[in-house]
Amino acid sequence: MWDDCCDYNMVREVRVKSIAYLGAGAIDKIDPILGKLKSEGITAVLCVCGGHAYRASGAWDKVEAAALRHGIVPALYNRVTPNPTTDTVDDAAALGRAINAGAVLAIGGGSPLDCGKSAAILLANPGKSAEDLFCFRFTPQKALPLVAVNLTHGTGSEVNRFAVVTVSGRSHRSIVGYDCMYPRYAIDDPALMTGLSAEQSRYVSINAFCRVVEAATATAANPLAVTLARETVGLVHRWLPVALTEPENLKARYGLCLAA
């Protein structure tokens, strides 16, 4: 089994549609990532976060320092709540437009990441609103580059092309998925997740479990999806009890990041 022999201090690069950095210390990859964006002429980045985890985890300190080193202005939007609304996405995009953001950096769990993906589309498609996007009034072909710094081992939003947002005033949750929504870079650093409470750790891990059960039993399931689902179930079964009793166990958090 992979998790028996892995070195959780080795930051490995997993190439899917996104480039994902997985391992303790992966947050340090934010420096070369921002350096690459700067080399492309990007001088301002919209940073989409929740209320406090982006700071409490230590992720923001790394992002802010790297942005300063590369001369990039980070505009912080930190008002994303669980199950974000189209109004929230519009507000975040408005801030991005005000600073002429050339990329979006999302820090958090599924909600900030989904909001960041959505804002990245709006910033690349002037005149469109979040309601236009989530009520399927247009089909986006482009989005600004997105960097996703994941702070929970649950949704997998940092490496997929989906976003779920509630349409304001309708109490209706809508999901969209387009190829342009894949993050360019994803960071999964288990050291950023040791502060998750037992309740949060349990809920996000069960989320990962449920998503792979759905993928493996869907009519569109394929052998790869089933193989990955089987591995995910095993990882959650093995490492969730350890994370609950030893919250700072990096090997357990690494296993749950891999599962997500």
Side-chain angles (χ1 to χ4, degrees):
M1 291 288 289
W2 169 259
D3 58 333
D4 286 327
C5 62
C6 75
D7 178 2
Y8 60 80
N9 286 305
M10 176 69 70
V11 178
R12 303 179 188 275
E13 182 174 313
V14 181
R15 283 189 176 267
V16 284
K17 186 72 173 180
S18 306
I19 298 176
Y21 295 104
L22 168 65
I27 186 60
D28 291 331
K29 292 292 184 180
I30 196 64
D31 189 277
I33 288 171
L34 292 185
K36 180 67 167 60
L37 294 180
K38 183 62 182 291
S39 73
E40 297 173 9
I42 294 172
T43 58
V45 173
L46 170 65
C47 299
V48 179
C49 314
H52 66 277
Y54 72 101
R55 286 191 185 276
S57 65
W60 180 248
D61 290 341
K62 295 282 188 175
V63 168
E64 196 171 34
L68 179 63
R69 278 193 295 273
H70 293 288
I72 292 177
V73 176
L76 179 62
Y77 182 87
N78 62 351
R79 298 192 294 277
V80 180
T81 57
N83 302 315
T85 66
T86 49
D87 285 346
T88 300
V89 174
D90 285 332
D91 287 347
L95 176 59
R97 282 190 290 271
I99 63 159
N100 194 28
V104 176
L105 193 155
I107 307 173
S111 293
L113 301 188
D114 287 0
C115 184
K117 290 178 182 179
S118 307
I121 287 180
L122 299 188
L123 290 171
N125 294 271
K128 301 298 184 182
S129 69
E131 186 169 309
D132 290 334
L133 175 62
F134 285 91
C135 290
F136 308 100
R137 295 172 187 156
F138 78 109
T139 301
Q141 301 297 322
K142 59 184 178 178
L144 292 191
L146 175 71
V147 181
V149 179
N150 187 32
L151 297 184
T152 69
H153 37 71
T155 68
S157 185
E158 73 276 15
V159 290
N160 69 38
R161 63 190 183 99
F162 301 102
V164 182
V165 166
T166 299
V167 179
S168 299
R170 301 190 188 187
S171 299
H172 167 66
R173 296 184 75 194
S174 179
I175 181 169
V176 297
Y178 301 103
D179 282 350
C180 64
M181 295 175 68
Y182 279 106
R184 182 185 294 188
Y185 301 102
I187 292 175
D188 277 290
D189 188 335
L192 299 180
M193 304 178 194
T194 57
L196 290 172
S197 68
E199 184 178 66
Q200 290 172 316
S201 298
R202 186 179 296 111
Y203 288 166
V204 298
S205 300
I206 291 173
N207 190 347
F209 176 93
C210 291
R211 286 170 183 266
V212 298
V213 171
E214 292 171 351
T217 57
T219 55
N222 58 64
L224 178 60
V226 173
T227 298
L228 295 176
R230 183 184 297 115
E231 180 71 7
T232 296
V233 170
L235 287 166
V236 173
H237 178 264
R238 176 170 184 177
W239 293 115
L240 178 55
V242 179
L244 293 176
T245 56
E246 303 173 37
E248 296 187 5
N249 186 312
L250 290 179
K251 192 166 186 176
R253 297 290 183 185
Y254 181 99
L256 293 171
C257 283
L258 183 58

